């Protein structure tokens, strides 16, 4: 059966919203539109408002985490004295209001320290004469500025504590007027700056939250509300750990639909739009996924996008095999090697195959096919 093509991100959002699945996990390359999809989803379910009275979650249907969530936190670097450095966030946001109203600062502190270093203490303080809060990170008696990766991990911990509290409260009381309008938790790319260990920890932590949100006892089924989850990521390891954890849990409950775990991608061919493809039950392999896309690509549909995929495949395979440079996978005596490498570099950012500027000449298409076939034969792909 041919893939269903959604003409725009609104249609993709409608497909997810109309589904009765508790969990939707999407894997997609960077620049596919994951963040734009999360914002389209949000706009459909959360009405825009400029009223400070509507800052909280009482009128929201989706609690979301994406790149814009991270932008809620900014650094005060104390450029004059280079001493009093801290993160700032506005109290008049859904996150800020929840942290203040529910007094979850210590829980955030504990979760962050469990991920990074238990010698780091987090302290929340009101910035005098402002509507901002400061977050100071202290090791021993020294005020420190954490790394970019640690900063993203801190933002993730803030979100997870809020999400955990909401899930717990809704399980007990579906009529909680502060949060009972929430139907979804939408998470987009939470681990892009994390190393593999933290990535696995974040995936397992999120999987536990999803499992915990299920209504189990008779009391919970009567009094509680089970929230739905949408998660999108470009990180293959995060996708694999999370999806396997979720599948194992829901298989036991006999209500798993493997199509809830999908690959989200732009349509390649004559029709613009997006497709959602179900995955099988075998372990997800980033290398093999790209390999299959290139192998199945029709000659007429080849574009600069496919050069981007080819370079991606070479880079990941080189890393897996221990080479420092993907060019090492292409033999020195390979025909038209220099020309191929030049095109890989020039076309590595072509991600919109429907655009005229991304079209390839017949010569370029033949070269790409030839080098892919050479790569397949050389490394004995099955």
């Amino acid at each position: 059966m041919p893939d269903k093509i959604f003409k725009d991100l609104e249609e993709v959002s409608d497909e997810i919203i109309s589904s009765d699945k508790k969990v939707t996990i999407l894997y997609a390359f960077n620049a596919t539109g994951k963040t734009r999809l999360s914002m389209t989803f949000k706009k459909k379910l959360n009405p825009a408002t400029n009223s400070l009275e509507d800052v909280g979650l009482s009128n929201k249907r989706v609690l979301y985490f994406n790149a814009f969530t991270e932008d809620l936190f900014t650094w005060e670097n104390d450029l004059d004295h280079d001493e009093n450095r801290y993160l700032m966030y506005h109290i008049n946001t859904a996150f800020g209001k929840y942290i203040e109203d529910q007094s979850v600062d210590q829980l955030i502190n504990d979760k962050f320290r469990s991920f990074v270093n238990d010698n780091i203490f987090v302290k929340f303080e009101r910035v005098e004469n402002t509507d901002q809060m400061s977050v100071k990170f202290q090791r021993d008696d020294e005020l420190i500025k954490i790394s970019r990766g640690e900063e993203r991990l801190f933002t993730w911990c803030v979100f997870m504590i809020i999400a955990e509290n909401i899930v717990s409260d809704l399980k007990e009381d579906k009529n909680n007027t502060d949060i009972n309008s929430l139907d979804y938790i939408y998470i987009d790319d939470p681990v892009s700056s994390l190393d593999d260990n933290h990535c696995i920890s974040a995936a397992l932590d999120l999987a536990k939250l999803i499992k915990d949100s299920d209504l189990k006892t008779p009391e919970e089924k009567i009094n509680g509300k089970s929230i739905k989850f949408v998660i999108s990521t470009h990180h293959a390891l995060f996708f694999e750990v999370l999806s396997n954890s979720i599948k194992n849990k829901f298989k036991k409950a006999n209500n798993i639909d493997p199509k809830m775990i999908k690959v989200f991608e732009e349509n390649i061919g004559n029709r613009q739009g997006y497709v959602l493809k179900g995955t099988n039950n075998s372990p997800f392999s980033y290398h093999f996924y790209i390999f299959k896309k290139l192998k199945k690509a029709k000659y007429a549909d080849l574009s600069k996008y496919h050069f981007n995929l080819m370079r991606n495949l070479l880079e990941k395979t080189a890393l897996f095999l221990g080479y420092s440079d993907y060019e090492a996978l292409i033999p020195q005596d390979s025909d038209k090697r220099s020309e191929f490498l030049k095109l890989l570099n020039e076309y590595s950012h072509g991600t919109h195959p429907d655009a005229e500027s991304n079209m390839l000449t017949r010569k370029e298409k033949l070269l790409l096919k030839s080098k892919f076939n050479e790569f397949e034969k050389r490394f004995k792909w099955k």
Side-chain angles (χ1 to χ4, degrees), residues 334-373:
S334 177
D335 187 39
K336 298 181 180 178
R337 183 178 189 272
S338 297
E339 181 181 351
F340 180 59
L341 291 176
K342 179 182 177 182
L343 292 176
L344 281 178
N345 290 325
E346 287 183 1
Y347 296 164
S348 63
H349 301 294
T351 56
H352 300 285
D354 52 282
E356 185 176 345
S357 62
N358 280 278
M359 294 175 63
L360 296 176
T361 65
R362 177 178 178 275
K363 181 181 177 182
E364 290 170 335
K365 290 181 180 181
L366 289 173
L367 180 60
L368 178 59
K369 273 293 186 184
S370 171
K371 291 305 173 189
F372 175 77
N373 292 337

Side-chain angles (χ1 to χ4, degrees), residues 280-322:
N280 58 30
N281 291 325
S282 62
F284 182 77
S285 167
Y286 184 92
H287 310 64
F288 195 53
Y289 169 62
I290 304 175
F291 175 82
K292 288 193 294 183
K293 281 182 67 67
L294 285 166
K295 189 170 180 65
K296 291 180 179 179
K298 297 178 181 178
Y299 173 84
D301 295 336
L302 290 176
S303 68
K304 294 179 183 178
Y305 168 81
H306 293 92
F307 269 98
N308 189 18
L309 289 183
M310 187 68 201
R311 175 165 171 167
N312 229 314
L313 178 59
L314 288 167
E315 288 176 341
K316 300 303 180 186
T317 305
L319 182 65
F320 178 75
L321 295 176

Side-chain angles (χ1 to χ4, degrees), residues 231-271:
I231 302 108
S232 56
T233 181
H234 76 282
H235 198 295
L237 179 60
F238 180 81
F239 178 83
E240 175 69 7
V241 173
L242 177 62
S243 59
N244 280 342
S245 298
I246 298 304
K247 283 190 287 188
N248 290 338
K249 174 342 191 202
F250 286 99
K251 272 181 184 176
K252 295 175 182 177
N254 211 19
N255 61 358
I256 177 69
D257 179 354
K259 292 183 179 179
M260 75 173 190
I261 298 170
K262 299 175 182 291
V263 174
F264 167 55
E265 59 187 33
E266 289 179 295
N267 181 47
I268 307 302
N270 296 325
R271 295 179 61 185

Side-chain angles (χ1 to χ4, degrees), residues 14-24 184 228-229 255 257 260:
D14 289 337
E15 174 74 7
I16 296 172
I17 293 170
S18 64
S19 169
D20 61 353
K21 303 298 179 289
K22 177 177 175 59
V23 187
T24 300
Y184 292 91
K228 294 181 179 180
F229 290 81
N255 61 358
D257 179 354
M260 75 173 190

